[in-house]
Amino acid sequence: MNQQLQQRFERLESTRRDVLARLEGHDRARLNRPRADGGWSALQVLAHVINAEAGTLRYISKKMQAGTSLPRAGPVSRLRLLALQVANASPLRFRAPAGTGDVPADVEPGELFSRWDDVRAEWKQLLDDFPEELLDRVVLRHSMVGLIGLPDTLSFLQSHLDHHARQVERLLDAS
């Protein structure tokens, strides 16, 4: 795996471990308790995160087939990433894109965590196999900001997870 990708993936994994550790000791009912205003529960938030990671993985896997015909990422990709990071760091709420916001009312923690393990194993495989010649190519069309490259995609996934990890923390502190 490319060193830059490896560092970003290891950081994602570290954050995931921290989130999972924070959930330890809480029963299923507490983890499935929605916000008082009808917002998602802690497990629904994580189901959304996993849906986003899985959907991004599928999209990139498909785009990789185009090989070097993909456009180059360049500085505009970095600006798009910055916009995503600012949005994820802000207190503003955004509607989840289609497919990523489809979360069940009641989530079984073991199944959810197992699915996250599987998605992360697929990510690791993709990153291990990712061709060096595509590192500077755009591989994701983000619903809000458009085309970004793989390193920036991993940074987006990190800011997305950080945003939702804070949300999970608030939910657990409130209940």
Side-chain angles (χ1 to χ4, degrees):
M1 182 184 310
N2 170 280
Q3 185 176 359
Q4 180 186 33
L5 299 180
Q6 183 173 354
Q7 289 172 345
R8 291 175 192 206
F9 182 72
E10 286 173 0
R11 182 164 177 241
L12 267 171
E13 278 294 276
S14 175
T15 304
R16 181 173 79 112
R17 285 190 300 272
D18 292 346
V19 169
L20 292 174
R22 178 63 172 97
L23 300 178
E24 287 180 13
H26 298 290
D27 64 21
R28 179 179 176 160
R30 182 174 183 190
L31 295 174
N32 273 295
R33 187 174 303 136
R35 286 187 357 199
D37 65 1
W40 283 340
S41 70
L43 291 180
Q44 287 174 311
V45 168
L46 294 180
H48 159 72
V49 168
I50 296 164
N51 287 344
E53 289 185 10
T56 302
L57 178 70
R58 282 189 308 274
Y59 187 93
I60 291 172
S61 296
K62 182 179 176 185
K63 289 304 266 187
M64 283 173 54
Q65 296 172 7
T68 56
S69 68
L70 291 167
R72 294 194 185 277
V76 175
S77 179
R78 303 303 318 232
L79 290 173
R80 289 179 171 138
L81 169 63
L82 181 60
L84 287 170
Q85 289 172 324
V86 168
N88 278 329
S90 80
L92 300 174
R93 293 180 58 186
F94 301 94
R95 180 168 294 286
T100 68
D102 299 332
V103 296
D106 185 68
V107 180
E108 200 289 306
E111 288 176 18
L112 185 75
F113 303 153
S114 177
R115 180 167 177 244
W116 208 358
D117 289 343
D118 293 345
V119 169
R120 284 297 177 88
E122 290 177 42
W123 265 106
K124 183 174 183 329
Q125 188 65 54
L126 179 130
L127 297 173
D128 283 341
D129 297 343
F130 198 80
E132 284 283 326
E133 65 270 14
L134 298 184
L135 280 174
D136 66 340
R137 306 297 175 140
V138 294
V139 294
L140 178 67
R141 181 179 302 276
H142 189 277
S143 61
M144 285 178 43
V145 298
L147 299 170
I148 58 177
L150 184 60
D152 293 340
T153 297
L154 291 173
S155 293
F156 154 66
L157 290 175
Q158 182 67 55
S159 70
H160 184 249
L161 179 55
D162 290 343
H163 168 78
H164 288 300
R166 290 187 302 270
Q167 185 180 7
V168 167
E169 192 73 30
R170 288 190 306 270
L171 285 163
L172 294 177
D173 288 345
S175 61

